[in-house]
Amino acid sequence: EGGCYAKTVGLTREKEPEIYDAIRFGSILENVGFDEMTGEVDYDDVSITENTRVAYPLKFIPNALIPAKTEHHPKQIILLTCDAFGILPPI
């Protein structure tokens, strides 16, 4: 995997400095509000949705291990879901 996908709602440099600083040319913002005159993003604007996101290359994170590989496969994988309709079986 060569990238990251992070929530941006309420994002500030103080809360998440590495994610905040990764938002630059080459990253993609989804569902965020912004000022059309200045282009400044408002990370507190949830008028579209609270599911605001940014995608960016892993190389935008300082000290990232590239390539992001391990020597072995995981022994357990946990899928976190919110099943409002009772369709998914419990683990």
Side-chain angles (χ1 to χ4, degrees), residues 39-69:
E40 184 176 342
V41 176
D42 180 358
Y43 296 110
D44 293 319
D45 181 354
V46 293
S47 62
I48 300 171
T49 180
E50 286 192 24
N51 194 22
T52 58
R53 303 278 181 164
V54 62
Y56 52 89
L58 188 58
K59 67 182 179 182
F60 283 11
I61 298 295
N63 300 318
L65 179 62
I66 300 173
K69 293 183 179 180

Side-chain angles (χ1 to χ4, degrees), residues 18-91:
E18 290 181 343
I19 294 172
Y20 191 91
D21 291 339
I23 301 173
R24 56 180 183 255
F25 185 81
S27 61
I28 300 170
L29 290 163
E30 293 180 350
N31 300 323
V32 296
F34 65 96
D35 184 304
E36 291 186 21
M37 296 298 289
T38 65
E40 184 176 342
V41 176
D42 180 358
Y43 296 110
D44 293 319
D45 181 354
V46 293
S47 62
I48 300 171
T49 180
E50 286 192 24
N51 194 22
T52 58
R53 303 278 181 164
V54 62
Y56 52 89
L58 188 58
K59 67 182 179 182
F60 283 11
I61 298 295
N63 300 318
L65 179 62
I66 300 173
K69 293 183 179 180
T70 62
E71 300 285 327
H72 54 82
H73 294 287
K75 292 181 180 177
Q76 294 90 21
I77 297 176
I78 297 173
L79 174 65
L80 299 177
T81 65
C82 181
D83 183 11
F85 301 103
I87 297 169
L88 295 173
I91 296 176

Side-chain angles (χ1 to χ4, degrees), residues 11-22:
L11 180 67
T12 64
R13 178 174 275 120
E14 292 74 30
K15 290 181 186 175
E16 297 284 352
E18 290 181 343
I19 294 172
Y20 191 91
D21 291 339

